[in-house]
């Protein structure tokens, strides 16, 4: 059974997938979905409750909360995905080289990773912000710099393990090219590993970026970002606690969905893992 | 056909800065003629599998050369379609994402056969040769028993019609009845296609059944060669011990 078929039977995974794709779509086409301009200030509407024109109400400057939430998908989700894709690509290429060729190349790459991993990532992020200034792109740059080493390590370990397998030995012995071996026998195996590290770091990165924006080091006002919306809501937490809810719930839902989806993907890509539903069906049909 | 000349192999042990090298093969030389079947026996750790890996070009010898029909086996083109291998551990010998059909047709595809119908037909034919029926095409490796997996491996190995097959303990992990079946199969294939085998094993009975000539291996060296019909005339103490330890009834006869 193919991975896709298995994934389709997993209800939770499909819900997450549908939810995340709609989030991405809404983010890309934010101007169509947002009812108002996210940065338009209207002081007469400060802390107004939900209305037909402003479905989630207005914030402390009278801006439309829903529109801000929708526009914030761009930095909070799309940019994170973009930065992580670059990181994963770097990690995959280096991990493949390192794990497949071993020897000297591997040693050099691994020592480089050790150096990168010996700095706490927060310190690197703060250092980069210190050098290049405050801003989301610098936080993403810091993320790429700190995460590639970890990705490389994880992927290298997987590649090493798979390149020892007998089917790889056979393919090499029979005269397949290195490219064929890598693309047919090693990369597909590491995909499930990649799915898991990707999804788990999406969660941590969304939270991290929200955290840095919350501290005022990430996205700069007035551009909306979930962490920054939380930060602004914090100032009026006691008088208008409901302002915390939209960005907080959005962060939670998106990162939880990525986590669930990653786990389901790993299970779906394991050919030996049969979903519980089909097992039950099989037993029933044999009885 | 196959010439192994003064091959040495050492393995690095220790860390980044260490230069310790453990010798595994020491000055190994022998020749194989076309259509001949050569058995290699030796105790565990004597370097038999290492020699096998060198011959199929997975690893490179430190010194010496291995030529197949005059070409160095290290070059991929010299091996493609001509040399193939079956390894001991059948549990990981087929890509777990591949069906039996994918696994057997992999090399055929690389050799330029791409018509889907034709491929399926060829695979079914190969499966028939190793005694499996067409229903196995869509099975995944974890749905096969050990013996079936090993047969699929043999089918995959002979799919390109190679002249030379390296069998590294290809039957050692199977039970006796399956072993005999596969030995018979190999013998039949050998006679039908004039294939040459390099048969690495602990099992001297299998060697006497299948092979023409035997190399005795000890500590990475060839200590004696003998044709199977003259096994009783071997002189080296160590090879005598090897034979008697595997076939205890020879001692009893004495
Ligand atoms: N990749 C490797 N790195 C380091 N040492 C190795 C490596 N492969 C094998 N060796 C060493 O080479 C020696 C010979 O190993 P090899 O696998 O060739 O033995 P073998 O004769 O096939 O044994 P067996 O009959 O148990 O399969 C062993 O001492 C082993 O420790
Ligand atoms: Mg061995």
């Amino acid at each position: 059974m193919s991975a896709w078929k298995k994934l389709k039977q997993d209800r939770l995974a499909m819900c997450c997938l549908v939810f995340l794709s709609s989030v991405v779509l809404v983010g890309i086409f934010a101007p169509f979905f947002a009812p108002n301009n996210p940065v338009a200030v209207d002081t007469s509407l400060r802390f107004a409750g939900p209305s037909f024109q402003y479905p989630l109400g207005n914030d402390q400057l009278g801006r439309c909360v829903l529109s801000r939430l929708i526009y914030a998908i761009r930095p909070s989700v799309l940019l994170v995905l973009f930065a992580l894709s670059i990181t994963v690509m770097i990690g995959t290429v280096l991990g493949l080289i390192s794990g497949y060729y071993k020897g000297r190349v591997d040693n050099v790459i691994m020592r480089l990773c050790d150096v990168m991993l010996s700095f706490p990532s927060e310190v690197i992020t703060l250092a980069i912000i210190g050098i290049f200034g405050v801003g989301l792109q610098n936080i993403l740059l810091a993320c790429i710099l700190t995460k590639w080493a970890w990705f490389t390590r994880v992927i290298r370990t997987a590649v090493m393990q798979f390149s020892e397998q007998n089917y790889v030995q056979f393919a090499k012995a029979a005269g397949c090219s290195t490219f064929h071996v890598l693309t047919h026998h090693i990369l597909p195996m590491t995909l499930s590993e990649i799915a898991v590290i990707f999804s788990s770091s999406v969660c941590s990165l969304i939270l991290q970026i929200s955290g840095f924006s919350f501290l005022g080091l990430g996205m700069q006002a007035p551009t909306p970002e979930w962490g920054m919306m939380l930060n602004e809501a914090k100032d009026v937490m006691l008088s208008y606690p409901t302002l915390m809810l939209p960005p907080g719930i959005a962060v939670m839902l998106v990162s939880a969905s990525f986590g669930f989806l990653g786990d389901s993907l790993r299970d779906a890509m394991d050919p030996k893992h049969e979903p519980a539903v089909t097992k039950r069906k099989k037993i029933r049909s044999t009885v | 056909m196959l010439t192994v000349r003064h091959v040495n192999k050492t393995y690095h042990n220790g860390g980044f800065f260490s230069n310790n090298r453990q010798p595994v093969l020491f000055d190994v030389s022998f020749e194989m003629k076309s259509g001949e079947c050569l058995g290699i026996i030796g105790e565990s750790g004597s370097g038999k599998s290492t020699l096998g890996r060198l011959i199929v070009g997975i690893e490179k010898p430190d010194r010496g050369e291995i030529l197949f029909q005059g070409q160095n086996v290290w070059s991929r083109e010299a091996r493609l379609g001509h040399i193939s291998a079956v390894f001991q551990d059948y549990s990981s010998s087929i890509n777990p994402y591949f069906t039996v059909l994918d696994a057997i047709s992999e090399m055929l595809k690389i050799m330029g056969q791409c018509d889907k119908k034709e491929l399926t037909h060829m695979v079914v034919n190969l499966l028939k040769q190793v005694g499996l029926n067409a229903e196995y095409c869509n099975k995944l490796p974890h749905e096969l028993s050990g013996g079936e997996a090993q047969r699929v491996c043999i089918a995959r190995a002979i799919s390109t019609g190679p002249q030379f097959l390296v069998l590294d303990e290809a039957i050692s992990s199977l039970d006796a009845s399956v072993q005999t079946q596969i030995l018979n199969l190999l013998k039949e294939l050998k006679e039908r296609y004039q294939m040459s085998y390099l048969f690495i094993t602990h099992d001297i009975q299998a060697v006497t059944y299948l092979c023409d000539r035997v190399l005795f291996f000890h500590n990475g060296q060839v200590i004696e060669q003998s044709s199977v019909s003259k096994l009783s005339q071997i002189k080296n103490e160590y090879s005598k011990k090897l034979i008697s330890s595997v076939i205890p009834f020879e001692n009893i006869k004495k």
Side-chain angles (χ1 to χ4, degrees), chain A residues 1 104 107 111 165-167 169-177 180 184-185 188-189 192 269-272, chain B residues 16 53 56 58 76 79-81 83-85 87 89 92-98 106-107 110 142 156-157:
Chain A
M1 195 166 26
R104 281 275 137 84
N107 261 322
R111 295 300 83 78
Q165 303 288 313
N166 275 337
Y167 50 85
Q169 306 277 313
F170 169 80
K172 284 196 213 166
C176 295
S177 61
H180 176 94
H184 284 71
H185 294 299
M189 308 288 146
S192 60
M269 279 195 269
D270 180 356
K272 287 185 198 140
Chain B
F16 190 33
R53 284 200 298 275
V56 295
I58 298 175
R76 194 164 77 72
R79 301 197 304 272
L80 187 61
I83 298 184
S84 202
F87 298 107
D89 178 19
S92 82
S93 56
I94 306 173
N95 189 326
Y97 290 73
F98 280 20
E106 182 186 14
M107 289 317 296
I110 290 179
H142 70 270
R156 177 178 68 176

Side-chain angles (χ1 to χ4, degrees), chain B residues 35-70:
Chain B
E36 187 185 29
C37 180
L38 181 67
I40 293 189
I41 44 181
E43 62 180 2
S44 193
S46 55
K48 306 183 301 292
S49 301
T50 307
L51 179 67
R53 284 200 298 275
L54 294 181
I55 289 178
V56 295
I58 298 175
E59 285 170 31
K60 209 175 179 174
D62 295 344
R63 245 178 308 133
E65 54 180 5
I66 302 172
L67 302 177
F68 177 75
Q69 295 177 337

Side-chain angles (χ1 to χ4, degrees), chain A:
Chain A
M1 195 166 26
S2 76
W4 175 238
K5 260 195 207 154
K6 266 198 231 170
L7 199 64
K8 267 208 257 182
Q9 290 182 342
D10 190 340
R11 258 188 231 133
L12 180 62
M14 283 325 274
C15 288
C16 294
L17 194 63
V18 169
F19 173 67
L20 290 175
S21 0
S22 38
V23 166
V24 168
L25 278 181
V26 168
I28 293 173
F29 299 108
F32 291 104
F33 288 99
N36 299 289
N37 182 346
V39 291
V41 175
D42 185 347
T43 36
S44 65
L45 285 171
R46 292 184 65 200
F47 304 117
S51 64
F52 188 70
Q53 173 72 21
Y54 302 98
L56 289 180
N58 302 67
D59 65 2
Q60 73 284 6
L61 294 176
R63 297 174 295 197
C64 172
V65 172
L66 180 64
S67 305
R68 288 179 69 72
L69 205 60
I70 288 176
Y71 271 89
I73 292 174
R74 290 179 170 182
S76 299
V77 180
L78 300 186
L79 274 179
V80 165
L81 285 181
F82 174 70
L84 267 182
S85 308
I86 293 181
T87 321
V88 164
M89 259 186 270
I90 297 176
T92 307
V93 170
L94 289 180
L96 273 180
I97 294 175
S98 191
Y100 188 77
Y101 290 104
K102 307 194 178 87
R104 281 275 137 84
V105 203
D106 178 37
N107 261 322
V108 170
I109 295 179
M110 278 308 105
R111 295 300 83 78
L112 219 65
C113 286
D114 287 345
V115 172
M116 288 313 295
L117 286 172
S118 57
F119 292 110
S121 63
E122 285 77 14
V123 173
I124 295 195
T125 314
L126 290 177
I128 287 185
I129 291 173
I131 298 167
F132 296 111
V134 171
L136 190 63
Q137 70 276 18
N138 293 336
I139 289 188
L140 291 177
L141 180 72
C143 142
I144 295 176
L145 274 180
T146 50
K147 283 232 155 80
W148 72 264
W150 181 61
F151 279 26
T152 305
R153 282 229 125 154
V154 172
I155 292 170
R156 166 189 178 262
T157 314
V159 170
M160 281 207 152
Q161 180 195 337
F162 294 123
S163 62
E164 290 300 316
Q165 303 288 313
N166 275 337
Y167 50 85
V168 174
Q169 306 277 313
F170 169 80
K172 284 196 213 166
C176 295
S177 61
T178 305
F179 181 76
H180 176 94
V181 174
L182 285 178
T183 52
H184 284 71
H185 294 299
I186 293 184
L187 209 51
M189 308 288 146
T190 49
L191 276 187
S192 60
E193 206 87 20
I194 291 175
V196 173
I197 51 174
F198 190 89
S199 64
S200 63
S201 17
V202 166
C203 306
S204 72
L205 196 58
I206 288 181
L207 296 175
Q208 198 182 337
I209 285 187
S210 295
F212 277 113
S213 299
F214 183 85
L215 295 175
L217 299 174
M219 208 71 202
Q220 289 308 290
T223 325
E225 201 278 337
W226 291 346
M228 207 174 50
M229 289 171 73
L230 274 175
N231 186 19
E232 290 165 355
K234 170 202 72 177
D235 299 335
V236 290
M237 190 168 75
L238 291 179
S239 39
Y240 300 96
T242 45
L243 267 183
M244 304 281 265
L245 289 181
I249 290 175
V251 169
M252 248 173 54
L253 280 182
V254 168
S255 50
S257 302
F258 270 114
F260 288 140
L261 189 62
D263 276 354
S264 301
L265 265 180
R266 186 189 45 197
D267 287 347
M269 279 195 269
D270 180 356
K272 287 185 198 140
H273 184 277
E274 246 183 274
V277 190
T278 45
K279 250 187 215 159
R280 229 176 293 140
K281 265 188 207 150
K282 260 193 191 164
I283 292 169
R284 214 174 293 150
S285 66
T286 50
V287 167

